[in-house]
Amino acid sequence: MTSNDPSVGLPTRRKCGAMEVHRRLLTESESYRIARSEIENQTIELESTGAAAARGLARIPVVVHVVAHTQEQNISDAQIQSQIEVLNRDFRAANADMSTVPAVFADLVGDAQLEFFLATADPLGRPSNGITRTSTNVAAFDQGDGVKFVESGGATAWPAERYLNIWVCQLSDGLLGYAQFPGGPVATDGVVITHTGFGTVGTAAAPFDLGRTTTHEIGHYLNLFHIWGDDGTGCRGSDEVDDTPNQAGSNGGIPTFPRVTCNNGPNGDLFMDYMDYTDDAGMVMFTKGQVARMTACLDGARRQLWTERHEPEPGLPRVEAPAGQAPATGTSASAIGQPTVVTSRSGRMDVFVTGADGAVHHKWWDGSGWRPSQDGWESLGRPEPAPRTAWHPGDGEVAAAPSDMSAAT
Ligand SMILES: [Zn+2]
């Protein structure tokens, strides 16, 4: 692979895969169709009651999964931090380039009241910097979700109810990123961003080096559609937001105000909105209506994401003796070995630990809670070797030694 490979060349025009993923899931999955219908109904209900408006600041825990085929793609912690900082300006309407919004649109600007932070604990409650690193032999990923599974060269999602999963990798064919709307499978929930469109330093490359691809994709993740309504270039599509002007198709580059389509003059398209397709420097705002829609999502489908965060995190298997097993000493930690975790494509997570009695004990996360119970374990007897795992929290994910990285071709 070289930088001249057209499949991994730098994007010159924004291209997002979220709607393709949305349509694929609508086609494939009845449960997604049902969930989407329920979420839209719930959105209308929450927006109309205005109950969500009093929420105040919500803090969203983020895990960034860096999946790298080359050393360059193994982006720095600083590049990741630069992206978090962009999000914390854009979702507070605190970005300096907000000043470029034409005066006629100034009243539309909304503050989403969101703050993002790298998770400080992994799914088992261990200290973490909120970053996982995985070496892959996949030269470039597409919107088919391969980056989200170990068996296809990617990295496993952390429980999507409690973390915003962001995968950063090389995407192919100029794709900048894609997101999964709320209501989809937990194992693939989150956003994927090509490394050259992520953050503001390191490998971030113009004209997508201001971190706006991630802002845009998190907009989808919080249930926003593209501002033109995703009907090609017609004037009938809707983004389900009342205060965004009707607009024909997507705008690219950095348009000149006003840009009139669909008889939306004199002010024209709100092309400086994050949910259009302009260059990073051209998108600077969400509207109040978009904020209301995101807020409804955060009070509905994604409520657990910001309401159930504690230290140590709740719902985690505690390192203590299973029921009926007396700890060997006064400290429960000595009764049990290190947990082993196995994740599966369906989003299920199995945890195995060895008790003081030498038996293996098991509990599992089924997507909504721990089984057999929050604190309970089932005994698998002894001796029973713990299955080896696709993923060990806290030990750096799949081996990512620099020698492996440089040897990859
Ligand atoms: Zn998009």
Side-chain angles (χ1 to χ4, degrees), residues 14-19 177 216-217 220 226 228 275-277:
R14 183 170 302 282
K15 186 170 150 190
C16 154
M19 289 309 292
H216 173 105
E217 298 303 337
H220 288 311
H226 290 131
W228 67 93
M275 300 316 289
D276 205 335
Y277 257 16

Side-chain angles (χ1 to χ4, degrees), residues 56-73:
L57 193 67
R59 301 187 74 234
I60 310 283
V62 174
V63 54
V64 174
H65 305 286
V66 178
V67 180
H69 178 62
T70 65
Q71 291 191 46
E72 182 192 38
Q73 292 168 17

Side-chain angles (χ1 to χ4, degrees), residues 54-97:
R55 182 202 69 207
L57 193 67
R59 301 187 74 234
I60 310 283
V62 174
V63 54
V64 174
H65 305 286
V66 178
V67 180
H69 178 62
T70 65
Q71 291 191 46
E72 182 192 38
Q73 292 168 17
N74 192 20
I75 62 168
S76 67
D77 289 2
Q79 187 170 349
I80 294 167
Q81 192 57 45
S82 74
Q83 180 63 65
I84 299 294
E85 288 165 9
V86 168
L87 296 175
N88 286 338
R89 291 191 292 266
D90 290 355
F91 283 85
R92 292 304 318 273
N95 47 304
D97 52 6

Side-chain angles (χ1 to χ4, degrees), residues 27-377:
T27 303
E28 289 177 354
S29 167
E30 184 181 12
S31 66
Y32 184 69
R33 288 193 293 272
I34 293 169
R36 288 301 309 164
S37 173
E38 289 174 352
I39 287 169
E40 285 305 314
N41 287 333
Q42 189 176 46
T43 299
I44 293 166
E45 193 179 310
L46 288 169
E47 284 179 328
S48 66
T49 61
R55 182 202 69 207
L57 193 67
R59 301 187 74 234
I60 310 283
V62 174
V63 54
V64 174
H65 305 286
V66 178
V67 180
H69 178 62
T70 65
Q71 291 191 46
E72 182 192 38
Q73 292 168 17
N74 192 20
I75 62 168
S76 67
D77 289 2
Q79 187 170 349
I80 294 167
Q81 192 57 45
S82 74
Q83 180 63 65
I84 299 294
E85 288 165 9
V86 168
L87 296 175
N88 286 338
R89 291 191 292 266
D90 290 355
F91 283 85
R92 292 304 318 273
N95 47 304
D97 52 6
M98 177 74 69
S99 62
T100 63
V101 174
V104 292
F105 291 139
D107 285 348
L108 292 178
V109 173
D111 171 3
Q113 295 265 320
L114 291 183
E115 189 174 300
F116 298 83
F117 67 99
L118 289 168
T120 56
D122 74 10
L124 293 179
R126 300 175 183 183
S128 168
N129 64 356
I131 300 170
T132 76
R133 294 183 180 277
T134 300
S135 174
T136 185
N137 57 17
V138 178
F141 291 94
D142 60 22
Q143 64 210 20
D145 286 336
V147 74
K148 301 172 182 177
F149 298 98
V150 171
E151 57 265 41
S152 47
T156 309
W158 286 11
E161 297 82 2
R162 294 188 293 116
Y163 300 92
L164 161 54
N165 285 274
I166 301 178
W167 287 266
V168 181
C169 62
Q170 177 68 61
L171 289 173
S172 58
D173 298 319
L175 186 64
L176 276 165
Y178 67 97
Q180 183 170 298
F181 285 89
V186 293
T188 50
D189 198 22
V191 306
V192 183
I193 311 291
T194 203
H195 70 98
T196 60
F198 191 77
T200 62
V201 299
T203 66
F208 303 111
D209 57 347
L210 298 181
R212 261 57 191 268
T213 297
T214 310
T215 301
H216 173 105
E217 298 303 337
I218 292 176
H220 288 311
Y221 169 85
L222 296 175
N223 212 24
L224 295 186
F225 291 111
H226 290 131
I227 194 167
W228 67 93
D230 295 296
D231 61 337
T233 56
C235 294
R236 292 172 181 270
S238 171
D239 61 356
E240 309 295 337
V241 173
D242 289 340
D243 63 0
T244 51
N246 193 20
Q247 167 176 328
S250 63
N251 289 297
I254 302 180
T256 301
F257 175 82
R259 174 167 160 74
V260 175
T261 65
C262 299
N263 297 313
N264 63 11
N267 299 334
D269 294 357
L270 193 72
F271 58 77
M272 69 294 309
D273 189 278
Y274 293 125
M275 300 316 289
D276 205 335
Y277 257 16
T278 63
D279 292 348
D280 275 16
M283 49 173 61
V284 302
M285 65 173 281
F286 289 115
T287 69
K288 291 185 173 75
Q290 287 173 321
V291 166
R293 193 172 158 83
M294 288 191 282
T295 300
C297 174
L298 284 161
D299 261 29
R302 298 210 184 276
R303 186 168 180 81
Q304 271 182 279
L305 191 61
W306 60 280
T307 57
E308 296 196 0
R309 186 183 52 81
H310 303 286
E311 300 293 348
E313 306 244 348
L316 297 172
R318 294 173 190 173
V319 184
E320 62 191 22
Q325 303 297 329
T329 72
T331 61
S332 59
S334 64
I336 281 187
Q338 289 288 71
T340 298
V341 179
V342 181
T343 55
S344 72
R345 198 173 179 99
S346 67
R348 173 170 161 144
M349 180 179 354
D350 291 277
V351 181
F352 300 86
V353 293
T354 303
D357 58 351
V360 172
H361 298 267
H362 172 229
K363 72 189 300 172
W364 63 100
W365 176 265
D366 69 359
S368 61
W370 287 106
R371 305 290 180 259
S373 68
Q374 173 83 13
D375 297 323
W377 297 78

